[in-house]
Amino acid sequence: MSRNAFLKLCYLLENVGGITDTRNVRVHEKVAMFLSVLGHHRKNRVVKQDFVRSGYTVSKYFHEVLETLLKLYPLLLATPDPVPEHCTIESWKWFKGCLGAIDCTYINVKVPEFEKARYRTRKGDIAVNVLGVCNQDMKFIYLLPGWEGSATNDRVLHDALSRRNGLKVPNGNYYLCDNTYTNRNGFLTPYRGVKYHLQEWGDTGSTPQNKEEFFNLKHSCARNVIERTFRLLKMRWAVLRNSSNYSIKIQNRIIMACALLHNFIRNEMPVDPLEQNLEENLDTAEDKHTDFISADESQVWSSWRDDLANSMFNEWLGVQ
C-alpha cells in the first residue's frame, strides 16, 4: 500500500467509519498496527515491540479497526457492471452481459479439536471454504467466508443466494464459473468432458476444433480472473496464508477485511506492483480443488449456452 493510499484509508476510517484518536494513540498508529498484523502476520508480542505498546493496547485497537473497517462493507465492495455490447477486450468480448467470475478457495484456519472434522478439506487441511465473486477488474463484488472446508462449492453458492442480503444476479446477466457448479440461469459453466484449463492447451499452438473447445478456451481465459484475484489477495495478506490463533469468528472477519482492503488498494493504486508477480497460469494453484455438482443442469440454460458457443465459434471462423 502506498503512503497516499494509507492516508486515504485512515481518513475513510475516521470520517466515515467513526474511529477516533485517543489520548495516547492516534488513528494512523491504530491502522498501522492493524495492517502490520494482516500484511505480515505478526504476532501480538512482535507488534507491541515494534510500536512500543502493551499487548492489551495492540489487541484492543486491532479489533477496533477491524470492526470499523467491516462497517464500510457496502462502500468498499465493487458494483457489478455487465460486459457491454461494444466491449473489445479479447477475454471478455465474447460474454456480453457477464458480471464477472465466481469460485471458492480454501483458507487455512485454527479451530478447536472437536470441530476439525467439519473443517477438514479433501486434502486433509483444516480450512474454511470462501466464496468469492469478482468483476473484470479483479475487485470483489461479493464474499462469503465461514463455510467449513468440507462443504461443496455448490452448497456454499446456494447459501449465498438464499441469504436476505446475499448474492443477487439480475435477469439477463450471469457469472462465469467452473464445473464445480451447476450450469443454470445466471451461472455459466464450461462443457464437461472437453479440455478446459489453460495448461491443457499449452504452447503446442493447437487451435479449437469445434464450438465446445472454442467456448471452453474463451471461458477459461475470462474466468481466470477469479483465480488471479484470489492469488493476489493471498500474496498481499500473509495472515491468509497461515492459520492464526484468533477465534473462528474473528478469522472469518479478517478474511472479509482483507478482501475489502484489496478493493480499496485496487481503487487507490492504478498500478499494483504485486500484480506483476502473478503467475500467468493459475490453473495449478495449490488451493484448486474438485467437487461434484449437486443439481441437474438447466436444459434451457444449456440450450442458451449452445447458441452462444455456436455464435462465438462462427464469428471466430469468419475472421480466420
Side-chain angles (χ1 to χ4, degrees):
M1 183 183 296
S2 67
R3 179 177 297 182
N4 285 339
F6 173 78
L7 294 176
K8 288 183 179 180
L9 176 62
C10 294
Y11 178 87
L12 191 65
L13 291 170
E14 185 174 7
N15 292 275
V16 180
I19 193 172
T20 59
D21 293 336
T22 61
R23 185 176 64 178
N24 297 316
V25 184
R26 300 193 62 185
V27 170
H28 293 71
E29 186 176 356
K30 295 179 182 180
V31 178
M33 288 189 291
F34 177 75
L35 294 178
S36 179
V37 174
L38 266 57
H40 303 284
H41 197 208
R42 288 194 172 126
K43 305 298 183 183
N44 185 289
R45 64 179 180 273
V46 177
V47 177
K48 75 176 186 179
Q49 293 174 355
D50 291 342
F51 288 84
V52 195
R53 298 291 181 182
S54 69
Y56 171 79
T57 298
V58 172
S59 177
K60 176 183 177 180
Y61 293 125
F62 172 84
H63 289 284
E64 180 183 356
V65 175
L66 176 62
E67 293 300 319
T68 304
L69 180 62
L70 293 180
K71 293 178 183 178
L72 305 180
Y73 176 92
L75 182 64
L76 294 179
L77 282 182
T79 301
D81 189 18
V83 176
E85 288 290 334
H86 59 272
C87 178
T88 58
I89 301 175
E90 181 60 30
S91 58
W92 290 101
K93 69 179 183 179
W94 309 97
F95 300 102
K96 307 297 191 296
C98 179
L99 299 172
I102 182 171
D103 201 1
C104 285
T105 189
Y106 289 138
I107 294 180
N108 291 341
V109 294
K110 284 186 178 179
V111 296
E113 190 69 30
F114 68 91
E115 288 192 307
K116 285 187 176 180
R118 296 168 51 205
Y119 287 88
R120 197 176 305 278
T121 69
R122 291 175 179 268
K123 293 184 178 180
D125 298 323
I126 306 302
V128 288
N129 195 358
V130 180
L131 174 71
V133 184
C134 74
N135 62 13
Q136 303 94 324
D137 296 324
M138 298 175 64
K139 299 175 186 175
F140 285 104
I141 297 171
Y142 181 81
L143 196 82
L144 178 61
W147 269 92
E148 301 89 341
S150 59
T152 63
N153 291 1
D154 221 32
R155 184 182 179 190
V156 179
L157 176 58
H158 182 270
D159 178 51
L161 294 171
S162 62
R163 293 181 177 232
R164 181 179 178 182
N165 296 317
L167 179 64
K168 308 297 181 185
V169 186
N171 289 329
N173 299 123
Y174 58 92
Y175 289 101
L176 302 180
C177 46
D178 63 19
N179 273 323
T180 59
Y181 300 92
T182 306
N183 188 54
R184 61 179 185 265
N185 187 24
F187 301 95
L188 186 62
T189 67
Y191 287 97
R192 305 193 77 183
V194 179
K195 63 179 180 179
Y196 174 71
H197 296 293
L198 294 179
Q199 80 265 18
E200 293 181 282
W201 296 90
D203 299 322
T204 60
S206 60
T207 57
Q209 300 301 307
N210 51 53
K211 68 174 185 179
E212 289 83 6
E213 287 191 357
F214 183 78
F215 178 87
N216 276 15
L217 175 60
K218 295 304 178 182
H219 187 285
S220 180
C221 290
R223 196 200 61 84
N224 184 258
V225 68
I226 187 63
E227 304 287 351
R228 295 175 62 83
T229 303
F230 277 141
R231 180 62 64 88
L232 186 59
L233 181 72
K234 294 178 181 180
M235 285 175 58
R236 176 171 282 115
W237 307 112
V239 72
L240 301 183
R241 300 195 297 269
N242 302 279
S243 54
S244 61
N245 292 318
Y246 295 103
S247 69
I248 188 62
K249 180 179 179 180
I250 297 300
Q251 290 180 79
N252 285 322
R253 290 182 175 181
I254 288 174
I255 295 170
M256 177 63 74
C258 289
L260 296 179
L261 288 172
H262 167 89
N263 279 10
F264 175 80
I265 293 173
R266 298 287 295 177
N267 287 330
E268 299 299 329
M269 295 175 58
V271 178
D272 189 344
L274 281 183
E275 190 174 350
Q276 307 300 320
N277 298 326
L278 283 175
E279 297 178 12
E280 291 299 323
N281 187 348
L282 301 179
D283 287 312
T284 57
E286 292 182 0
D287 56 24
K288 194 67 184 173
H289 52 284
T290 302
D291 294 318
F292 297 97
I293 58 176
S294 57
D296 294 331
E297 292 191 357
S298 165
Q299 293 302 316
V300 174
W301 192 248
S302 294
S303 296
W304 181 84
R305 180 180 62 181
D306 288 338
D307 293 338
L308 176 61
N310 265 321
S311 175
M312 291 168 57
F313 189 58
N314 290 334
E315 181 179 344
W316 178 70
L317 289 177
V319 298
Q320 295 304 301

